[in-house]
Amino acid sequence: MFSASETPSSATPAMSKLEFNKLQKRLRRHTGQAIEDFQMIEEGDRVMVCLSGGKLCPVNIL
């Protein structure tokens, strides 16, 4: 996984922006599927979202 300070081009020299976007999409899909499969979040639950004050956060918030 990439740290918040890394961009797609600095994470792995050979990794293209397309590959990075595909990785992000796959991670979001698998995370969402795990939340559904294990009923981690249900109707009426409260969810806290925390963001760092870092310079760049390449992960999109759903």
Side-chain angles (χ1 to χ4, degrees), residues 48-61:
M48 182 188 304
V49 177
C50 301
L51 302 172
S52 88
K55 294 179 184 178
L56 175 65
C57 183
V59 178
N60 294 329
I61 298 175

Side-chain angles (χ1 to χ4, degrees), residues 17-38:
K17 184 167 179 69
L18 176 63
E19 290 170 323
F20 182 79
N21 289 338
K22 287 170 63 175
L23 174 61
Q24 280 187 320
K25 185 176 181 179
R26 188 174 8 177
L27 289 171
R28 284 193 302 265
R29 187 180 71 242
H30 286 293
T31 300
Q33 191 64 49
I35 289 170
E36 184 179 323
D37 289 349
F38 297 103

